[in-house]
């Protein structure tokens, strides 16, 4: 049951109908997924589509995703339907989506980042940031699984990123919030809700926005979102932005039949999602344009760090494209798009990069050790030696166990499931070594019926 102090707090929320809102909280929420545009072909096509996102689908029930090898291959991402509205906003504001520098500031576990990566042209660069280290590793895993070379990951405080003056065309701030929009999914969040926490969140949201503001270009766009219903974290933040900075809004046509409520703060528009009006959870999102002039920071002039020797040993792993090979850590090489070489020199001065382009792996005495990232990369060469697995073999591989397989050719083999890369083994003919990174393995016990 929704707490009475929470309900009275919602009284003045624009567009709310408390009676139907309360009823909607007696119904379970729907599970939804968003398909990978390049990895997932026909999966889920018979399901009902999310109205504002053509790759989003509702599921009839919630399966155990851990037991689906397609989930591990990055064929889809499990994401709440309302938050997929980001797809609609970005398509409207940036119809071409080319040559953009995009920051996802509060990115873990990676829902908005994987959505943005699917939208952007490869000339664009997406930097996904998560300040909390433990959450940054989950983000990194999800971004690697999604497989885009132009999606890099860092772990920094918004203040560090604010030093990249005038660098980004788009900054998405999916802010930490009091979480009331997710009460149907998270009963614990409901128990912990308080007005005092709403105030704390509102102050923190202002601090985060103020810290990162300088990193936005003149005419660049800030997309601000929360999963809170509280005005203090939604409309009041838009009002605060107007009082602190020179900003303007966008006129975007949103079909009324989608049930999204438009909430105006002068010329800025917040889009509110209520579970009694939409098939989705509570969500707030707004797009704001910066109207202040600011010089864009430039990369320092420096000689290319491209390593031709290591590139010649590893380039067979990727499709033919204009890449540079750079070494970021000892004995660890990455391919980045040549168009992003200058970005690398600039960014590495300011942020701690956890994922950079696609990791190629490292040289060994006799051959090249391919990295796990290659197996999941959308830029992977299509003619590498592969071995297609059935479901049982795939799950055993993902548990980092041995599985039965006859007549494996010798050498490095990329394992696939329904044609999608899962990871590497090195075959010695009659046995093999499983190269799935330890922290990626499935830890749950697999019920007997799943082996069929
Ligand atoms: N965008 C994510 C997605 O779609 O999967 C969800 C982001 S969640 C709503 C907010 C994130 O902000 C959390 O991962 C949290 O760790 C992070 N965060 C918490 N405090 C922060 C701070 N002071 N500055 C920046 N991010 C913060």
């Amino acid at each position: 049951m929704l707490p009475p102090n929470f309900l009275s707090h919602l009284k003045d929320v624009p567009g709310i109908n408390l009676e139907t809102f309360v009823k909607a909280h007696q119904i379970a929420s729907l599970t939804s997924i968003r398909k990978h545009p390049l990895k997932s072909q026909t999966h889920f096509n018979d399901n009902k589509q999310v109205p504002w996102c053509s790759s989003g689908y509702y599921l009839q029930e919630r399966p155990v995703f851990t037991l689906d090898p397609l989930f591990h291959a990055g064929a889809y991402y499990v994401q709440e339907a309302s938050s997929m509205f980001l797809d609609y906003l970005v398509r409207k504001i940036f119809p071409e989506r080319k040559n953009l520098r995009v920051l996802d500031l509060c990115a873990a576990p990676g829902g908005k980042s994987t959505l943005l990566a699917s939208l952007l042209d490869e000339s664009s660069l997406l930097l996904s940031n998560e300040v909390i280290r433990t959450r940054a590793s989950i983000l990194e895993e999800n971004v690697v699984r999604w497989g885009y070379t132009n999606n890099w990951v860092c772990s920094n405080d918004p203040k560090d990123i604010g030093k990249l003056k005038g660098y980004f065309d788009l900054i998405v701030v999916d802010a930490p919030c009091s979480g009331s929009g997710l009460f149907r999914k998270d009963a614990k969040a409901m128990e912990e809700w308080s007005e005092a926490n709403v105030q704390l969140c509102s102050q923190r949201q202002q601090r985060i926005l103020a810290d990162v503001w300088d990193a936005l270009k003149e005419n660049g766009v800030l997309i601000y979102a929360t999963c809170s219903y509280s005005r203090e974290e939604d409309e009041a933040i838009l009002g605060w932005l107007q009082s602190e900075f020179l900003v303007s809004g966008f006129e975007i046509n949103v079909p009324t039949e989608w049930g999204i409520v438009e909430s105006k703060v002068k010329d800025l528009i917040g889009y509110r999602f209520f579970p009694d009006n939409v098939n989705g959870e509570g969500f707030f999102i707004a797009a704001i344009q910066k109207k202040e002039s600011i010089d864009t920071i430039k990369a320092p002039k420096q000689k290319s760090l491209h390593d031709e020797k290591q590139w010649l040993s590893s380039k067979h792993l990727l499709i033919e494209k204009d890449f540079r090979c750079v070494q970021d850590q000892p004995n660890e090489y990455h391919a980045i798009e040549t168009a992003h070489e200058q970005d690398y020199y600039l960014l590495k001065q300011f942020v701690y990069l956890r994922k950079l382009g696609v990791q190629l792996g490292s040289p060994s005495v006799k051959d090249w050790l391919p990295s796990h990232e290659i197996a999941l990369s959308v830029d992977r060469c299509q003619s590498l030696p592969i071995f297609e697995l059935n479901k049982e073999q795939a799950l055993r591989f993902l548990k980092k166990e041995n599985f039965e397989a006859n007549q494996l050719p010798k050498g490095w083999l990329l394992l696939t499931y329904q044609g999608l890369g899962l990871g590497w083994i090195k075959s010695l003919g009659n046995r093999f070594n499983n190269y799935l990174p330890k922290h990626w393995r499935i830890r749950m016990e697999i019920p007997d019926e799943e082996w069929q």
Side-chain angles (χ1 to χ4, degrees):
M1 246 213 356
L2 294 167
N5 62 339
F6 171 62
L7 287 174
S8 60
H9 172 81
L10 294 185
K11 258 194 340 277
D12 302 326
V13 165
I16 200 162
N17 175 333
L18 275 178
E19 203 178 310
T20 51
F21 178 84
V22 170
K23 277 196 187 134
H25 280 79
Q26 286 148 12
I27 303 166
S29 60
L30 285 174
T31 300
S32 46
I33 57 93
R34 187 170 35 73
K35 292 200 324 182
H36 192 297
L38 304 174
K39 292 190 180 186
S40 172
Q41 292 104 33
T42 53
H43 319 114
F44 306 111
N45 280 4
D46 296 336
N47 292 54
K48 197 172 159 230
Q49 232 171 9
V50 175
W52 42 84
C53 178
S54 59
S55 51
Y57 292 85
Y58 296 102
L59 305 188
Q60 311 285 359
E61 53 194 24
R62 191 178 177 91
V64 182
F65 292 110
T66 307
L67 298 176
D68 181 6
L70 288 174
F71 168 77
H72 297 272
Y76 59 90
Y77 188 93
V78 186
Q79 186 174 32
E80 201 287 299
S82 301
S83 61
M84 295 182 202
F85 188 70
L86 176 64
D87 185 273
Y88 186 76
L89 272 190
V90 174
R91 283 177 193 275
K92 287 282 175 194
I93 298 172
F94 297 100
E96 292 202 345
R97 301 183 295 289
K98 284 195 177 131
N99 215 9
L100 300 173
R101 298 295 175 269
V102 180
L103 169 69
D104 185 6
L105 182 67
C106 312
K112 312 283 182 309
S113 279
T114 53
L115 184 152
L116 291 163
S118 311
L119 276 176
L120 297 174
D121 170 86
E122 62 193 11
S123 61
S124 299
L125 178 65
L126 168 61
L127 183 63
S128 303
N129 177 65
E130 170 56 47
V131 64
I132 297 176
R133 292 285 157 104
T134 46
R135 290 179 60 81
S137 60
I138 299 164
L139 169 69
E140 185 182 345
E141 203 169 307
N142 283 328
V143 167
V144 165
R145 189 174 281 137
W146 209 244
Y148 284 87
T149 305
N150 62 346
N151 188 179
W152 303 2
V153 176
C154 67
S155 182
N156 284 79
D157 190 275
K159 250 201 180 109
D160 304 331
I161 299 183
K163 293 180 189 149
L164 290 160
K165 293 215 183 324
Y167 176 71
F168 292 103
D169 301 273
L170 168 63
I171 297 183
V172 175
V173 177
D174 188 17
C177 69
S178 61
S180 48
L182 299 181
F183 279 178
R184 291 205 298 188
K185 290 186 157 200
D186 184 359
K188 198 162 160 267
M190 184 152 62
E191 284 162 28
E192 283 168 5
W193 186 90
S194 71
E195 292 224 18
N197 191 36
V198 168
Q199 294 303 340
L200 279 180
C201 288
S202 178
Q203 283 157 14
R204 182 167 53 183
Q205 287 146 1
Q206 291 168 26
R207 222 168 35 237
I208 291 172
L209 290 168
D211 285 346
V212 81
W213 184 251
D214 277 354
L216 192 60
K217 266 191 188 140
E218 178 176 3
N219 291 323
V221 179
L222 164 73
I223 294 188
Y224 174 75
T226 73
C227 56
S228 163
Y229 296 110
S230 298
R231 292 170 72 114
E232 293 84 340
E233 300 179 71
D234 298 341
E235 285 84 357
I237 297 293
L238 301 188
W240 175 82
L241 283 167
Q242 285 166 326
S243 69
E244 294 290 308
F245 310 111
L246 208 54
V247 296
S248 72
F250 293 90
E251 287 291 328
I252 290 169
N253 175 37
V254 177
T256 46
E257 62 270 24
W258 289 354
I260 298 163
V261 172
E262 291 189 11
S263 173
K264 281 201 169 162
V265 182
K266 296 189 200 147
D267 69 331
L268 299 184
I269 303 177
Y271 300 93
R272 281 188 167 273
F273 293 68
F274 294 106
D276 41 334
N277 295 339
V278 300
N279 273 330
E281 302 311 293
F283 186 56
F284 177 88
I285 189 165
I288 300 116
Q289 189 163 37
K290 178 170 182 170
K291 288 292 175 192
E292 297 165 358
S293 65
I294 183 161
D295 288 336
T296 296
I297 193 168
K298 296 274 179 314
K301 284 227 162 8
Q302 76 166 74
K303 233 176 92 206
S304 173
L305 295 178
H306 173 67
D307 190 326
E308 185 65 13
K309 180 170 173 249
Q310 304 302 349
W311 179 233
L312 288 176
S313 311
S314 57
K315 66 183 209 178
H316 63 282
L317 296 167
L318 295 178
I319 54 173
E320 274 192 36
K321 231 168 71 171
D322 205 358
F323 287 118
R324 287 280 180 269
C325 171
V326 294
Q327 180 182 16
D328 198 53
Q329 298 295 324
N331 215 29
E332 200 183 88
Y333 295 88
H334 304 255
I336 57 174
E337 274 107 350
T338 302
H340 301 148
E341 198 179 357
Q342 295 303 312
D343 298 87
Y344 170 54
Y345 303 143
L346 177 68
L347 291 175
K348 77 189 182 91
Q349 292 197 318
F350 291 91
V351 297
Y352 164 52
L353 287 167
R354 293 185 59 123
K355 176 194 180 273
L356 168 64
V358 54
Q359 198 184 323
L360 288 161
S362 48
S364 73
V365 184
K366 280 199 190 134
D367 61 2
W368 186 270
L369 255 74
S371 83
H372 185 58
E373 287 189 24
I374 295 285
L376 295 147
S377 169
V378 298
D379 288 330
R380 166 172 52 84
C381 170
Q382 291 304 309
S383 53
L384 296 170
I386 61 160
F387 186 75
E388 172 72 15
L389 303 175
N390 62 30
K391 189 172 176 193
E392 172 171 349
Q393 291 168 323
L395 288 175
R396 289 201 189 277
F397 169 71
L398 292 165
K399 268 188 83 66
K400 216 167 160 52
E401 289 177 356
N402 278 329
F403 55 85
E404 296 213 355
N406 293 326
Q407 295 173 338
L408 287 175
K410 282 189 181 172
W412 286 106
L413 287 177
L414 177 88
L415 300 182
T416 59
Y417 178 73
Q418 296 189 16
L420 300 178
L422 284 181
W424 295 96
I425 56 170
K426 189 161 187 191
S427 157
L428 310 163
N430 49 354
R431 62 189 180 87
F432 62 82
N433 292 324
N434 184 332
Y435 274 80
L436 184 81
K438 247 199 198 133
H439 63 280
W440 281 72
R441 75 186 189 284
I442 296 178
R443 288 182 182 81
M444 71 179 278
E445 276 308 309
I446 298 185
D448 286 345
E449 59 272 20
E450 290 298 329
W451 297 124
Q452 269 87 65

